[in-house]
Amino acid sequence: MLNAVQIIIGGLLQGSAFAIVALGFSLVFRVTGVVNLSQGAFCILGAMAMYFLQVDFGLPLIVAAAGSAVIGLAFGFVCGAAIFVPALSRLPMSAMLMVTAGLLTFMEGLILVIWGNQSYALPPFSREAPVLIGALRVPSQGFWIAGISAAIVLGLWWLIYRTGFGVALRACAQNPLAARLMGIDLNRITLVSFALAAAIAAIGGVAIAPLTTLQFDSGRFLTVYGFIAATIGGLGGMAGSITGGLALGVAEQVAAGYLSSLFANALALLILLAMLLWRPRGLFASRREARADVPTQRRVQRAVVRIEGGGAWGFIVALVILLAALPFLVPTGLMASLTIAMILYIAVLGLDVLMGYAGQISLGQAGFMAIGGYAAAILATSYGWPPLAGVLAGMALSLIAALILALVTMSLRGDYLALATLAFGLLIDSLTVGLVDITGGPSGLVGIPAFSIGPWAFATPRSMYYLALTLAAILAAALYGGMRSGFGRALQAIRADPTAAAALGINVSRLKVAAFAIAAMLASLAGSLYAFNFHFLSPDMVDTPHSFETVAMLVLGGEGTLVGGLFGTFLLTLLPTVFQPFALYKTMVEGGLLIAIFMYLPEGMLGRIAVLLSPRHARREVGSHDDARA
Amino acid sequence: MTTPALEISGLAKSFGALRAVADVSFTVAPSSVTALIGPNGAGKTTLFNLITNLDSAAAGEVRFLGRPLTGMKPDAIAALGLIRTFQTARVFPGMTARENVLAGAHLAMRSGGWQQMLWLGAARREERMLARRADDLIDLVGLSAFRQAPATDLPMGAQKLIEVVRALMARPKMLLLDEPAAGLNDRETAELAALLRGIRDIGITIMVIEHNMSLVMSLADEVVVLDAGSVIARGPPGTVRADRRVIEAYVGADA
Ligand SMILES: Nc1ncnc2c1ncn2[C@@H]1O[C@H](COP(=O)(O)OP(=O)(O)O)[C@@H](O)[C@H]1O
Ligand SMILES: [Mg+2]
């Protein structure tokens, strides 16, 4: 009994961290309708700034904490003014989600560059021994956290309900158009909310840092947990965020205490999925009842540029010849990277069907790469399966996982799918690390044989390159066959206007599931090839940052073109190899690129090339996304 | 007696206090043209939404070729051969006029994604055949010049025609057209009338919402007049035009 109370207290402490992140989520969501994925990164920024000011610099606690909050606020202002607000006025909602994903990646990269990849722990605010209440031990930091959370809530409440700014903010949340007509500067409100949310997150990071260790990429967990907490609370409200955060913290600690910490992660994911099922539209539903036959959402155009006509075939032939000759043209030192790029392109190709054609975002491609990689590796090493059988088994497993995930989330709007896939990817991450007996844990699996089909073994990077090239070419040709026919048209119709598509008899959810399954199976294939190529597989080779990476590669290359992703993949894979010092900056640059491309080069590299090659043959199209803000 | 194409009984829907559709019942004979008229806000579009289950009815039932549609998803209803268009033309942005029309062929296609991905001869032949048919239909409504243009670049009237043609590609048994002539000039309207007569003549039942009275009079076999959610008159065009209540409804609300 005592133990149980102790666990619940731990859960409440943990939960207040989630609650603080959730508060920031709600604030930004209320005003803009955007799920800001970078929220968790501001926590880490705050904690790291605190470490710098307090430990490195020796400032007193209060000054250092205030300084960290100011740094969070200032950085929030800069990001808000330079990125978030300008992006919001010209990008569709789904792209906004990706911009904040880019911001998350960028900040992780920035923190990595400044503070390195080691874990940081801060000293507790006060050095008292845990407070004893009866036989219960409550760490003194717990009181600090409780106090800070309460202060944030009170401060926010005062701001929203007792100030002129709050009136304007609530007006924007209720009806942005009316607010603008009333003369409220929507952009200013958005900017202030964004910066404020950043500062709240930074303070949250400062408060929880003494209880746990944090490193540059812990932010994405806080983002996901914060989002789950906000979802439980019915995103948007303050009381809901707090309740949601505390409930999630307690649930997690109870699961960790009585079952295992592995299960705690799974539980969080299950809670999210249950929430999505239970009130699937509750979260993003507009407050007014929309007319079903009129597209009420503002359509924001996003360019897709394809090369048309005879020029396309010439381009493809030239490209294939170039790719086939590439191993003889580049220094041998680059061969390994070429192989990696070609393998990754297979995963990006699958993602293009899902994102570029069906208009759905997946942030979980790496999760399927992990399933494919580990399935093939384990079957080959422990059970002596032939590599090809392992690859197929991995793809079957990924298909099953994708179908289960899709059945739960497919009726949901794009943002949900993206977040559910992110949660799925993180779950797979924790499984690959945690299931030590099966996956070898963090140190990975060794002794994976080379890929072979019957008597042919692909033991060198060059032979693997040609294998991957052949597979990629076959798959791209097959997908091209589908995308230019009825299948591709139906996917594009769904992306453009699901209601009108359904009115033509197109089964929207079934086709989305099909696109999702294709993306998952190709990612799985890439993951398997990865394992056979390196003869080794560890969790960090196929973890969530790689999901973001595949998205960055795709949009950099050009969505909805099938070949475009190739350019993004090669660029992002080869750059760090060619410019070694770049490696450290890779994450940051990827994040920055993701943001920049969404904002300034929506047609991607291939689109640019198409326009440069032959302005007359390039067909500029506009795809649309729904925007719930209108 | 043959089964009616469409059988609407006791259909009702309210938005808050507003009774948009109140206890509407009527039937549509196969291979006929029924015009649904009434002042703005009468509930015509809402009635279409209820028939296609885009909105759920509070009461009542719709039968299509004798089959109740209650609880079916919009795409399943379309798959039965009941295809609708929208009052605000909803062409697919990001696709050309021809791709838009081809998208309408989804239900009619026999080759699936797998066959297309394997570049099977049958799939490619079907694709070519559909492309020819799409071009044919686009020519028929006089939009040949726009085949390769992004559909959203077309004038509003042309977009509505593309939508009608797109619906035809699905090889429907019945079409529900929501103000297809809105945005068309007189010549285009006459062409549309000819097209709709042709569609009826090949056996496709039509229910069309239309404001243009001369179009309605020349085209319809049966006119249903809706006002404030209720059917106030029903019958052949000549009879309905003479109905006092119809004149009142129109003079009262629209003129
Ligand atoms: N989703 C909705 N929410 C609220 N009111 C609606 C909705 N859809 C339609 N209405 C109202 O129902 C009435 C009938 O609309 P509608 O069917 O579009 O009329 P019509 O097509 O005959 O012009 C109108 O007063 C309209 O404002
Ligand atoms: Mg209408």
Side-chain angles (χ1 to χ4, degrees):
Chain A
M1 182 56 212
L2 200 59
N3 187 28
V5 178
Q6 195 71 55
I7 285 177
I8 288 174
I9 289 175
L12 290 175
L13 289 183
Q14 176 96 65
S16 17
F18 301 153
I20 293 175
V21 185
L23 277 176
F25 256 122
S26 310
L27 187 59
V28 175
F29 182 81
R30 238 173 118 162
V31 181
T32 63
V34 175
V35 174
N36 174 20
L37 293 181
S38 68
Q39 204 64 42
F42 283 99
C43 289
I44 308 303
L45 181 72
M48 293 295 179
M50 182 72 181
Y51 189 87
F52 173 70
L53 295 174
Q54 192 190 8
V55 179
D56 291 345
F57 225 68
L59 291 180
L61 175 82
I62 298 297
V63 181
S68 307
V70 170
I71 289 177
L73 186 72
F75 199 73
F77 256 113
V78 172
C79 292
I83 299 168
F84 191 78
V85 171
L88 194 61
S89 59
R90 72 171 109 135
L91 289 184
M93 277 315 194
S94 54
M96 276 316 288
L97 189 78
M98 293 315 301
V99 167
T100 64
L103 191 55
L104 173 69
T105 313
F106 174 78
M107 288 182 65
E108 285 182 354
L110 185 70
I111 294 168
L112 175 68
V113 169
I114 301 177
W115 283 285
N117 63 359
Q118 63 269 43
S119 300
Y120 286 84
L122 280 171
F125 285 8
S126 43
R127 303 222 167 263
E128 286 96 34
V131 179
L132 293 178
I133 303 174
L136 286 176
R137 294 158 57 85
V138 182
S140 58
Q141 189 68 19
F143 291 98
W144 281 104
I145 294 185
I148 290 173
S149 308
I152 290 178
V153 170
L154 278 179
L156 263 184
W157 181 85
W158 177 79
L159 188 77
I160 293 178
Y161 293 100
R162 286 291 177 271
T163 64
F165 173 79
V167 173
L169 186 146
R170 276 179 290 147
C172 290
Q174 234 134 47
N175 187 342
L177 180 66
R180 273 167 77 174
L181 291 176
M182 280 159 57
I184 294 173
D185 184 349
L186 193 59
N187 285 346
R188 195 178 65 93
I189 303 290
T190 305
L191 179 58
V192 173
S193 322
F194 187 85
L196 214 58
I200 292 173
I203 296 172
V206 169
I208 56 165
L211 280 180
T212 165
T213 61
L214 296 171
Q215 55 188 24
F216 74 101
D217 61 353
S218 311
R220 67 177 79 104
F221 286 97
L222 289 173
T223 288
V224 168
Y225 279 84
F227 173 75
I228 298 175
T231 313
I232 295 173
L235 222 101
M238 272 201 294
S241 298
I242 302 284
T243 334
L246 296 179
L248 182 63
V250 170
E252 217 215 19
Q253 289 297 312
V254 168
Y258 288 101
L259 299 157
S260 76
S261 58
L262 199 61
F263 187 76
N265 277 322
L267 182 78
L269 175 77
L270 291 178
I271 290 178
L272 177 63
L273 293 181
M275 282 306 303
L276 294 179
L277 271 182
W278 179 37
R279 32 177 318 189
R281 275 165 223 295
L283 222 68
F284 293 97
S286 70
R287 281 154 286 259
R288 290 151 290 157
E289 196 187 344
R291 290 195 57 142
D293 61 322
V294 182
T296 47
Q297 291 161 333
R298 180 160 62 105
R299 301 200 162 269
V300 184
Q301 318 277 309
R302 189 156 152 65
V304 175
V305 177
R306 300 196 176 102
I307 307 176
E308 284 283 287
W313 284 109
F315 181 78
I316 292 297
V317 170
L319 190 65
V320 172
I321 292 175
L322 176 70
L323 288 173
L326 214 48
F328 299 97
L329 302 177
V330 300
T332 41
L334 276 187
M335 194 59 236
S337 299
L338 283 186
T339 309
I340 295 171
M342 199 42 105
I343 293 174
L344 279 181
Y345 169 58
I346 295 178
V348 173
L349 190 59
L351 188 64
D352 198 11
V353 173
L354 184 65
M355 259 183 85
Y357 286 88
Q360 310 291 307
I361 294 174
S362 168
L363 296 177
Q365 277 297 80
F368 294 109
M369 285 179 71
I371 293 180
Y374 277 101
I378 292 165
L379 289 173
T381 50
S382 306
Y383 300 92
W385 281 39
L388 191 59
V391 169
L392 294 177
M395 288 171 78
L397 211 57
S398 291
L399 179 63
I400 294 170
L403 290 181
I404 294 173
L405 191 60
L407 285 181
V408 178
T409 57
M410 269 308 159
S411 57
L412 310 173
R413 263 196 46 193
D415 308 14
Y416 283 106
L417 177 67
L419 288 158
T421 54
L422 177 59
F424 165 77
L426 289 169
L427 172 72
I428 299 288
D429 287 357
S430 64
L431 290 181
T432 55
V433 174
L435 295 173
V436 181
D437 296 339
I438 302 172
T439 64
S443 48
L445 274 179
V446 292
I448 303 170
F451 187 77
S452 61
I453 304 173
W456 297 287
F458 298 82
T460 63
R462 183 175 287 186
S463 58
M464 269 313 270
Y465 174 82
Y466 283 110
L467 175 72
L469 173 60
T470 311
L471 284 175
I474 293 173
L475 289 166
L479 290 177
Y480 176 67
M483 289 308 111
R484 57 162 203 168
S485 313
F487 183 41
R489 275 195 305 271
L491 291 183
Q492 283 172 280
I494 288 172
R495 170 190 183 143
D497 188 340
T499 308
L504 293 170
I506 296 174
N507 188 328
V508 176
S509 34
R510 209 175 72 191
L511 276 161
K512 279 190 196 168
V513 171
F516 193 56
I518 289 175
M521 285 197 294
L522 292 201
S524 177
L525 172 61
S528 304
L529 293 179
Y530 229 59
F532 290 120
N533 180 52
F534 288 104
H535 310 301
F536 169 71
L537 192 63
S538 63
D540 59 348
M541 288 161 67
V542 284
D543 62 2
T544 295
H546 292 90
S547 295
F548 287 93
E549 193 178 65
T550 49
V551 175
M553 288 167 168
L554 176 62
V555 294
L556 174 60
E559 289 178 73
T561 58
L562 297 182
V563 275
L566 190 70
F567 294 89
T569 312
F570 272 72
L571 191 76
L572 286 186
T573 311
L574 293 182
L575 266 191
T577 321
V578 179
F579 305 107
Q580 279 297 340
F582 176 81
L584 175 64
Y585 298 93
K586 186 169 182 256
T587 313
M588 194 171 95
V589 170
E590 269 170 14
L593 272 177
L594 202 55
I595 299 170
I597 296 159
F598 264 105
M599 289 179 68
Y600 303 109
L601 192 70
E603 69 270 39
M605 285 166 68
L606 183 72
R608 283 281 97 191
I609 294 173
V611 174
L612 289 179
L613 273 186
S614 72
R616 275 179 309 117
H617 285 295
R619 176 149 63 86
R620 187 177 286 270
E621 293 182 347
V622 281
S624 85
H625 291 265
D626 289 343
D627 187 337
R629 230 165 99 88
Chain B
M1 197 196 135
T2 53
T3 27
L6 202 66
E7 219 177 333
I8 298 171
S9 42
L11 217 50
K13 173 80 181 177
S14 302
F15 298 107
L18 176 81
R19 299 180 67 191
V21 171
D23 193 23
V24 167
S25 308
F26 62 90
T27 56
V28 174
S31 306
S32 71
V33 177
T34 300
L36 187 60
I37 64 170
N40 274 325
K44 306 181 295 293
T45 300
T46 304
L47 185 62
F48 272 19
N49 290 349
L50 296 180
I51 295 172
T52 53
N53 268 351
L54 218 54
D55 262 336
S56 51
E61 190 194 53
V62 179
R63 285 169 175 268
F64 177 58
L65 300 173
R67 198 186 153 145
L69 302 182
T70 318
M72 284 175 78
K73 292 212 306 171
D75 58 278
I77 292 176
L80 293 178
L82 182 57
I83 307 280
R84 70 169 291 175
T85 66
F86 294 88
Q87 182 171 347
T88 48
R90 289 180 85 157
V91 296
F92 297 118
M95 296 167 78
T96 61
R98 182 205 256 154
E99 285 169 342
N100 257 279
V101 174
L102 277 170
H106 183 80
L107 283 172
M109 289 194 78
R110 270 182 296 141
S111 58
W114 281 115
Q115 283 119 306
Q116 292 158 13
M117 284 195 234
L118 294 174
W119 294 66
L120 290 190
R124 299 179 61 191
R125 269 193 302 281
E126 180 175 37
E127 192 68 23
R128 273 199 301 275
M129 189 271 290
L130 287 174
R132 261 202 310 278
R133 184 164 147 70
D135 285 346
D136 239 28
L137 287 174
I138 295 174
D139 293 351
L140 195 66
V141 292
L143 295 176
S144 339
F146 293 114
R147 276 184 199 167
Q148 299 289 5
T152 36
D153 287 1
L154 270 55
M156 207 28 145
Q159 291 189 26
K160 303 218 66 161
L161 286 178
I162 288 290
E163 231 194 323
V164 174
V165 170
R166 183 174 76 184
L168 270 181
M169 286 293 282
R171 297 200 173 278
K173 297 196 177 79
M174 177 168 183
L175 280 177
L176 304 178
L177 305 175
D178 198 341
E179 303 196 14
L184 299 188
N185 61 30
D186 287 350
R187 193 181 52 79
E188 289 165 338
T189 307
E191 277 173 19
L192 177 74
L195 175 70
L196 295 187
R197 254 177 241 117
I199 294 173
R200 189 244 340 252
D201 289 346
I202 59 173
I204 299 174
T205 314
I206 296 177
M207 174 144 73
V208 55
I209 297 177
E210 193 42 71
H211 284 302
N212 184 328
M213 272 314 196
S214 63
L215 180 64
V216 168
M217 292 306 150
S218 71
L219 189 68
D221 304 306
E222 176 97 355
V223 177
V224 176
V225 189
L226 214 57
D227 185 29
S230 306
V231 178
I232 54 167
R234 228 196 111 187
T239 332
V240 166
R241 181 162 43 181
D243 191 301
R244 203 173 43 81
R245 292 208 298 162
V246 177
I247 296 166
E248 267 170 22
Y250 265 85
V251 173
D254 245 5

